[in-house]
Amino acid sequence: MTRHLLRDTDLTPAEQREVLDLAAAMKADRHGFKPLAGPRSVAVIFEKQSLRTRVSFEVGIAELGGTPVIVDALTTHFGRGETIADAARVLSRYVDAIVVRSHADERLRELAAHATVPVVNALTDGYHPCQMLADLQTVRERLGGTEGRTLVYLGDTANNMANSYALAGVTAGMRVRLSGPAGFEPDAAVLAEARKLGVVEVVGDPAEAVKDADVVATDTWTSMGQEGDGLDRVTPFRPYQINRSLLVNAKPEAIVLHCLPAHRGDEITDEVLDGPQSAVWDEAENRLHAQKALLAWLLEHS
Ligand code: CP
Ligand code: NVA
């Protein structure tokens, strides 16, 4: 069976642990794993902007001994009539895996349905599972594990990061708390799914939400594609900014995560992002290790 990572729960708790164990091993021996030597090729397709995802996949695939093929969707036929299904059939003849950053999750599901190689979600409107693997790797490194820890996500609780924190967090045995303004509530179906696997709380008051937190995370208030949606994506979010006075409510040893890019002064202040509790640079680095492990694991299990 061809394995994909379209959503965080495509990995069981045991499988997620395996990938994270492998990510730690790959980080400890960065050039010691060559499962893509041959070389095997991986297409990495972007229908939205990227810095971290693009570079970490390109470098990671090369470090695994493979050949990365980076595709800017603006230069393909995607926007002008070629169906995703046809693209999946063709790409499967060229490459050993397909990594895609796209808009609607339906596009990825369609791609995976017609591909004969693993498909990886490199961010959609709905989810960002690769980011989660890097975040969980960072939590393991900083706090010694994820089981029983409390992760609080503040800000746009209706976006892809909120969905993925809920699903990946409970998969890793964490208690997840989501806190954001009215009008930007978590997706009801995602909440229901996550709550079958663990505890997810929705707490309106940000100071209350971060109480006893081990991990405090946030993300932009305006995700890619939402720039012109006509909503006020600043004023209602202001109380959810991660700043020093909010952070004192968390555990003193709590770490701060942000997938980046950060909008300094909006969802997070300079003093927190650059401060002692910030783990964001390790988090960004871990995209590389976690994605290398993920690709190796998917290919081994497909
Ligand atoms: N965090 C993240 O996915 O960053 P990019 O958009 O730069 O890839
Ligand atoms: N929620 C953000 C994440 C960026 C990495 C977005 O979708 O733009």
Side-chain angles (χ1 to χ4, degrees):
M1 189 180 76
T2 305
R3 295 295 302 264
H4 307 293
L5 181 67
L6 306 186
R7 303 167 76 250
D8 306 274
T9 43
D10 288 344
L11 293 174
T12 65
E15 291 171 346
Q16 186 195 66
R17 275 196 298 277
E18 276 180 39
V19 172
L20 292 172
D21 288 347
L22 185 56
M26 286 185 167
K27 186 170 183 174
D29 183 11
R30 182 155 168 185
H31 299 284
F33 292 81
K34 302 288 175 196
L36 301 186
R40 301 163 85 182
S41 300
V42 178
V44 191
I45 302 169
F46 289 93
E47 297 191 302
K48 286 178 177 173
Q49 299 94 322
S50 172
L51 173 68
R52 280 143 288 271
T53 307
R54 181 189 162 142
V55 177
S56 58
F57 266 112
E58 185 162 7
V59 170
I61 292 159
E63 286 185 0
L64 292 174
T67 301
V69 183
I70 308 292
V71 182
D72 174 356
L74 285 176
T75 63
T76 68
H77 298 278
F78 282 142
R80 55 179 296 276
E82 179 161 36
T83 69
I84 279 280
D86 288 348
R89 293 179 182 109
V90 172
L91 286 170
S92 297
R93 303 283 181 107
Y94 299 143
V95 298
D96 294 280
I98 305 169
V99 177
V100 194
R101 169 165 287 193
S102 188
H103 300 274
D105 289 85
E106 180 54 32
R107 284 175 74 71
L108 236 72
R109 281 197 291 275
E110 174 130 20
L111 186 69
H114 294 91
T116 55
V117 298
V119 174
V120 173
N121 180 350
L123 182 145
T124 51
D125 293 346
Y127 307 93
H128 198 359
C130 290
Q131 182 70 53
M132 288 304 120
L133 294 173
D135 284 30
L136 293 171
Q137 183 175 4
T138 310
V139 174
R140 279 174 156 217
E141 290 170 354
R142 293 290 182 114
L143 304 178
T146 54
E147 196 71 40
R149 298 293 191 168
T150 298
L151 180 148
V152 179
Y153 169 81
L154 297 155
D156 184 1
T157 56
N159 77 5
N160 43 14
M161 287 294 291
N163 290 341
S164 276
Y165 274 126
L167 296 177
V170 294
T171 301
M174 302 181 87
R175 170 189 291 268
V176 178
R177 221 174 272 152
L178 304 175
S179 183
F184 299 89
E185 283 87 5
D187 183 276
V190 169
L191 270 188
E193 182 183 354
R195 283 174 170 160
K196 283 188 192 142
L197 299 168
V199 178
V200 183
E201 299 163 331
V202 179
V203 178
D205 177 44
E208 181 68 26
V210 299
K211 235 175 232 162
D212 299 324
D214 298 292
V215 181
V216 181
T218 190
D219 180 24
T220 181
W221 297 333
T222 307
S223 287
M224 289 180 273
Q226 295 176 333
E227 293 82 359
D229 68 5
L231 300 175
D232 181 355
R233 290 186 165 275
V234 177
T235 319
F237 286 97
R238 287 262 183 240
Y240 299 89
Q241 180 192 65
I242 307 186
N243 51 45
R244 217 153 49 183
S245 57
L246 184 67
L247 202 54
V248 294
N249 297 292
K251 284 187 184 162
E253 66 275 20
I255 62 164
V256 173
L257 298 179
H258 189 313
C259 62
L260 305 176
H263 303 79
R264 290 169 176 264
D266 283 342
E267 72 271 8
I268 192 163
T269 58
D270 287 336
E271 61 182 2
V272 171
L273 195 68
D274 300 325
Q277 288 173 272
S278 171
V280 301
W281 314 119
D282 286 349
E283 178 189 8
E285 179 189 330
N286 286 339
R287 294 292 305 276
L288 173 71
H289 311 299
Q291 290 160 189
K292 285 170 69 177
L294 174 70
L295 284 174
W297 190 93
L298 288 173
L299 287 166
E300 193 189 323
H301 291 82
S302 292

